[in-house]
Amino acid sequence: MPLFDLPLAELETYAPALDEPADLDAFWAQTLAESRAAGGELAETIRLERVDAGLETVVVDDVTFAGFGGQPVKGWLVRPTAADRAVAAGETAPLPAVVEYLGYGGGRGLPHEHLLWASAGYAHLVVDTRGQGSGWGAGGDTPDPVGSGPATPGFLTRGILDPHEHYYRRVITDAVRAVDAVRAVDGIDPARVAVTGVSQGGGLTIAVAGLTEGLVAAMPDVPFLSHYRRAVEITDRPPYSEITRYLAVHREHEDAVFRTLSYLDGASLARRATAPGLFSVALMDPVCPPSTVYAAYNGWAAGAGGQARDVARAIDVYRFNEHEGGQAYRFARQLAWLREHAR
């Protein structure tokens, strides 16, 4: 795939006008308040069931916590064995934690697929994605019990005519509640929680950073779910092409579609971030085009009213990669970033 988006010099200053709804903050405040009320006190309702994964250096818990509307969401919590025992015995301080969100179509898979962060000394919560887990990987375990009106195959157009009904309202809420959940686990330091993810997981990372206070870092890689109108104008690849296919049939719904998506746009939610942000972008990425990534990155922590916060940010640029981005190169970079900001 050749370079197809704006030149890098223009990407670095790309700050598009966003169709941000006036009640965006109120929408999310109400959404999260309702789900927190429906889920009750997480310290009382979160369930951890120890799993024998046949591993010596980590311990694994099968986690169930209350997500959107109090509905159950699954995850794996992986912790270093020695640190878990020391914390339980009161011999060391609680662990910092990394909450990871998954790529489009994937599920939490199997515990032994998630060893890196625990090996580096962190508690690692891998969050299942409701209704997904059958597109790649080793499967998921969280259903989405909420229905949808007419939609194209995939997830982007489920509930597309009303932001209150949209699929990603539920998924973003689940993602925020995952941070609430990990903060409620004994042996984890609630003041040292970071979020990360690739593609869809990167988009959720941005959303959570914009909706959650007190994170020590947010590390979105080649993020999805940002600057939707630009995305559908310059790429014909899924998942963004789901919007195009829907509008090719429902021609009369364009305004309603983009109004709904404006409540879910990472480019707007990034402005509300308060944590240091480490992004990555691939300049030949036809799935999550570079300009959609920079729309979020350049607005990071700018503030809803233009009152920019003094928040560290950085972006790693992969000039010759498509949506695979940095792959294994990311971990060392993220580990160094997190050690700096989660000390």
Side-chain angles (χ1 to χ4, degrees):
M1 181 77 187
L3 295 172
F4 68 98
D5 206 336
L6 300 172
L8 181 58
E10 294 182 29
L11 290 170
E12 290 173 340
T13 59
Y14 183 62
L18 301 175
D19 185 19
E20 186 175 295
D23 64 341
L24 178 63
D25 294 316
F27 172 86
W28 280 110
Q30 180 180 358
T31 295
L32 296 175
E34 289 174 351
S35 287
R36 285 175 172 137
E41 292 293 332
L42 275 173
E44 299 174 2
T45 61
I46 187 172
R47 298 201 311 272
L48 276 68
E49 300 177 8
R50 187 57 51 92
V51 174
D52 183 2
L55 303 170
E56 295 292 332
T57 60
V58 301
V59 294
V60 180
D61 290 301
D62 184 342
V63 178
T64 306
F65 65 90
F68 175 85
Q71 296 157 4
V73 178
K74 301 292 288 184
W76 298 122
L77 181 60
V78 187
R79 288 177 275 187
T81 301
D84 181 65
R85 291 173 179 167
V87 168
E91 297 171 356
T92 189
L95 291 170
V98 175
V99 179
E100 180 181 3
Y101 309 110
L102 303 171
Y104 194 82
R108 66 173 180 166
L110 301 172
H112 60 258
E113 298 178 280
H114 309 290
L115 302 179
L116 282 178
W117 284 112
S119 298
Y122 295 85
H124 181 198
L125 178 62
V126 183
V127 184
D128 212 17
T129 310
R130 64 168 59 220
Q132 298 189 28
S134 298
W136 55 270
D141 297 289
T142 304
D144 181 15
V146 183
S148 170
T152 61
F155 304 96
L156 262 181
T157 63
R158 295 187 182 184
I160 193 66
L161 298 182
D162 184 344
H164 292 88
E165 302 298 327
H166 198 277
Y167 170 78
Y168 276 106
R169 179 183 180 230
R170 302 191 289 279
V171 175
I172 290 171
T173 301
D174 292 345
V176 171
R177 292 291 280 159
V179 173
D180 293 347
V182 82
R183 284 174 164 167
V185 174
D186 288 341
I188 291 179
D189 185 349
R192 290 192 296 160
V193 176
V195 289
T196 191
V198 180
S199 192
Q200 175 183 259
L204 295 175
T205 296
I206 291 170
V208 172
L211 297 171
T212 306
E213 294 288 340
L215 297 171
V216 294
M219 301 178 291
D221 287 332
V222 291
F224 178 44
L225 306 173
S226 178
H227 201 6
Y228 294 96
R229 190 177 286 274
R230 169 75 175 172
V232 300
E233 289 174 351
I234 65 172
T235 184
D236 60 358
R237 298 287 187 92
Y240 286 121
S241 62
E242 294 170 18
I243 301 169
T244 308
R245 291 202 306 273
Y246 179 90
L247 288 174
V249 174
H250 300 284
R251 300 162 176 83
E252 73 280 17
H253 289 164
E254 179 180 351
D255 289 345
V257 163
F258 285 106
R259 176 183 178 274
T260 293
L261 294 174
S262 69
Y263 287 86
L264 311 164
D265 194 335
S268 292
L269 294 173
R271 295 176 173 179
R272 291 153 171 81
T274 57
L278 176 64
F279 280 63
S280 74
V281 64
L283 296 190
M284 296 183 176
D285 186 350
V287 176
C288 296
S291 56
T292 69
V293 177
Y294 272 97
Y297 176 72
N298 288 336
W300 189 256
Q307 300 297 317
R309 302 176 179 91
D310 183 16
V311 175
R313 63 172 187 167
I315 187 167
D316 294 329
V317 179
Y318 299 100
R319 295 173 180 269
F320 301 101
N321 290 93
E322 296 190 16
H323 194 52
E324 75 279 3
Q327 294 183 313
Y329 284 87
R330 297 301 302 143
F331 183 71
R333 172 73 164 131
Q334 289 177 330
L335 188 60
W337 177 268
L338 193 51
R339 282 176 174 163
E340 176 183 353
H341 293 282
R343 282 196 296 260

